[in-house]
Amino acid sequence: MVTTRTNNPAQLNHILILSENPQTLSNFYRDALGMTISKSKDLLLCEAPQRRVLIGQGASHELGYAAFTFRDASGLASFREMLRATKTPARPSPSSIFGSEALAVMDPDNNVLVFGLPPSGDSPISDSPDARLQHFAITTTQLEEMFEFYTHTLGFKSPDTVKDEQGAMRAFFVNSDEEHHSIGIFKASEARIDHHAYDVVDWNAIRDWADHMARLDIQMQWGPGRHGPGNNLFFMVHDSDDNKVEFSTELERLIPPRETIVWPYAPKTLNLWGEAYLRS
Ligand SMILES: [Fe+2]
């Protein structure tokens, strides 16, 4: 089974998070992630090199959209063609970060996925250390339908799934390039944002970001630990809306051939080192 998307890679570029308190939430990302805040139409744009989060007024814990870039125009064109072949409706992109060539699709939970090209003259200069927006995770009540959409309709590949003792899928991860996952999807009692994650350079950077959070009195909520799927080191904090924010390093880079791993639905899958939380 092919578990790595090596043809036409795409990478997470930005996400829109909705909030009942957009200003407070953007202040969190300014302070905790070293981002500058500016206006982008009716949204607040928080950005630093390699990381960009838009925040808009809405129900907290909802993903407004997640936006991916292909490497060049031919990548976007072939993705558009694939959607046409599978009769998947493409709609105009809602992102003001991308140009008019971008498009959007909607998953079975009505999450919007946007696909475009890297913006020219990207992020502003910042003294803040590296932390690249790398993946996001959501919860869903209809995991099988979501698996079908992300793997068959979008053509992402799943290197790891999590199944319970009855054989029912409880979580899956999909990649859009050689990195283990750019999206994680967990079965739960409601559909919402689960977390989003920043890739840092190494274990020392994990320490430095944790020290930075400590100076801001932002408590670590989970970790440090090592995930089973992806094998990445991580810790998590909560933003001002209680969304989980992950710092991660050593995420597996998939080298074909890589067989699918089916992980047991157990705390150790989520944290090889110790404590974990199961979403359902
Ligand atoms: Fe994660």
Side-chain angles (χ1 to χ4, degrees), residues 2-12 68 115 134-135 147 150-151 154-160 172-184 251-256 258-260:
V2 179
T3 59
T4 312
R5 185 186 165 97
T6 49
N7 67 323
N8 204 14
Q11 196 171 41
L12 184 62
F68 289 80
F115 295 90
Q134 194 275 323
H135 72 260
F147 184 78
Y150 281 91
T151 57
L154 290 190
F156 285 13
K157 304 296 180 191
S158 181
D160 292 75
F172 67 89
F173 301 85
V174 288
N175 59 76
S176 51
D177 61 8
E178 73 279 3
E179 291 188 315
H180 178 272
H181 60 276
S182 50
I183 309 175
L251 181 66
E252 179 183 356
R253 296 188 85 81
L254 297 161
I255 301 168
R258 158 67 154 79
E259 294 300 315
T260 302

Side-chain angles (χ1 to χ4, degrees), residues 59-279:
S60 293
H61 312 135
E62 266 193 34
L63 180 70
Y65 57 74
F68 289 80
T69 53
F70 288 102
R71 292 190 181 159
D72 52 37
S74 68
L76 180 59
S78 71
F79 183 72
R80 189 185 287 276
E81 187 50 46
M82 187 203 75
L83 293 176
R84 201 171 287 137
T86 57
K87 296 188 167 47
T88 305
R91 56 191 74 216
S93 158
S95 172
S96 58
I97 305 296
F98 287 165
S100 58
E101 70 284 353
L103 61 88
V105 295
M106 203 176 261
D107 78 9
D109 279 355
N110 294 335
N111 294 304
V112 174
L113 288 303
V114 186
F115 295 90
L117 298 175
S120 57
D122 223 323
S123 308
I125 303 295
S126 165
D127 293 333
S128 192
D130 288 347
R132 173 175 55 90
L133 178 65
Q134 194 275 323
H135 72 260
F136 72 97
I138 48 182
T139 59
T140 181
T141 61
Q142 44 177 355
L143 195 66
E144 298 289 345
E145 292 86 345
M146 293 286 266
F147 184 78
E148 177 73 17
F149 175 82
Y150 281 91
T151 57
H152 291 122
T153 305
L154 290 190
F156 285 13
K157 304 296 180 191
S158 181
D160 292 75
T161 61
V162 178
K163 291 187 177 178
D164 63 23
E165 287 178 353
Q166 287 71 45
M169 192 184 293
R170 305 299 287 260
F172 67 89
F173 301 85
V174 288
N175 59 76
S176 51
D177 61 8
E178 73 279 3
E179 291 188 315
H180 178 272
H181 60 276
S182 50
I183 309 175
I185 304 187
F186 299 87
K187 185 163 189 172
S189 57
E190 62 171 340
R192 55 165 283 180
I193 295 178
D194 187 85
H195 68 271
H196 72 279
Y198 298 89
D199 181 76
V200 303
V201 292
D202 58 15
W203 178 241
N204 285 348
I206 290 275
R207 174 201 64 195
D208 294 344
W209 278 100
D211 283 341
H212 171 68
M213 296 300 156
R215 283 190 290 274
L216 296 172
D217 286 331
I218 299 169
Q219 282 196 347
M220 194 177 289
Q221 299 290 332
W222 186 22
R226 187 187 286 280
H227 293 310
N231 200 42
N232 43 330
L233 299 164
F234 73 94
F235 77 88
M236 289 197 189
V237 297
H238 289 182
D239 70 19
S240 56
D241 271 1
D242 236 13
N243 298 309
K244 290 184 275 292
V245 179
E246 178 176 27
F247 292 82
S248 157
T249 193
E250 298 187 6
L251 181 66
E252 179 183 356
R253 296 188 85 81
L254 297 161
I255 301 168
R258 158 67 154 79
E259 294 300 315
T260 302
I261 300 172
V262 179
W263 294 80
Y265 181 64
K268 194 174 176 186
T269 292
L270 294 170
N271 184 5
L272 296 172
W273 289 0
E275 227 180 310
Y277 74 97
L278 301 173
R279 273 73 168 184

Side-chain angles (χ1 to χ4, degrees), residues 15-81:
I15 56 173
L16 167 63
I17 302 173
L18 301 183
S19 174
E20 283 145 34
N21 301 292
Q23 191 61 56
T24 305
L25 189 60
S26 60
N27 290 346
F28 173 89
Y29 285 95
R30 177 196 63 199
D31 299 338
L33 272 300
M35 293 168 164
T36 58
I37 306 174
S38 60
K39 283 257 186 190
S40 177
K41 298 191 174 167
D42 54 345
L43 304 174
L44 292 168
L45 170 59
C46 304
E47 61 180 347
Q50 299 192 299
R51 53 187 183 271
R52 181 182 281 125
V53 173
L54 289 150
I55 296 171
Q57 186 79 45
S60 293
H61 312 135
E62 266 193 34
L63 180 70
Y65 57 74
F68 289 80
T69 53
F70 288 102
R71 292 190 181 159
D72 52 37
S74 68
L76 180 59
S78 71
F79 183 72
R80 189 185 287 276
E81 187 50 46

